[in-house]
């Protein structure tokens, strides 16, 4: 794994826990990058962070059940119960 991914994961985890402190975390990240000489990684960190956010959004959208999926599930349950009794 690369360093930018580590920074992005740490930032993502912190913001997930306390979203109100996001500005503080970004300020601290900037100070840390300057201190360690990793300022050039900032665009890569942003890209990796965006990938993590996109992944989370995709997972949540897949978990949501649409009305059509719910109807299909009910029909399958009904079909299974009817075929067991016959």
């Amino acid at each position: 794994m690369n360093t930018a991914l580590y920074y992005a994961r740490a930032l993502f985890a912190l913001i997930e826990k306390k979203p109100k402190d996001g500005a503080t975390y970004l300020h601290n990240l900037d100070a840390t990058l300057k201190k360690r000489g990793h300022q050039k990684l900032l665009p890569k960190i942003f890209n990796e962070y965006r990938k993590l956010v996109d992944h989370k959004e995709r997972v949540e959208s897949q978990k949501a059940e649409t009305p059509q999926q719910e109807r299909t599930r009910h029909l399958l349950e009904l079909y299974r119960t009817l075929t067991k009794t016959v």
Side-chain angles (χ1 to χ4, degrees):
M1 279 199 224
N2 58 18
T3 309
L5 183 58
Y6 287 129
Y7 282 122
R9 283 186 177 175
L11 182 63
F12 184 77
L14 287 172
I15 291 178
E16 284 288 307
K17 289 181 184 177
K18 293 184 181 179
K20 293 181 180 179
D21 295 335
T24 305
Y25 298 142
L26 290 174
H27 178 69
N28 291 342
L29 176 65
D30 187 45
T32 302
L33 292 175
K34 285 179 184 176
K35 182 179 177 182
R36 295 183 179 183
H38 291 163
Q39 289 176 307
K40 291 182 180 180
L41 291 177
L42 196 56
K44 291 179 183 178
I45 294 170
F46 176 74
N47 288 337
E48 294 296 333
Y49 180 81
R50 190 72 226 155
K51 287 178 189 177
L52 292 170
V53 170
D54 289 343
H55 176 71
K56 180 185 174 196
E57 290 173 357
R58 281 193 306 268
V59 167
E60 288 176 358
S61 70
Q62 291 296 321
K63 286 182 182 178
E65 189 174 279
T66 64
Q68 184 178 9
Q69 290 172 329
E70 185 178 354
R71 181 174 178 261
T72 303
R73 183 177 52 81
H74 287 296
L75 288 173
L76 280 172
E77 289 173 3
L78 179 62
Y79 174 77
R80 287 182 184 133
T81 55
L82 287 173
T83 56
K84 283 183 182 178
T85 59
V86 173

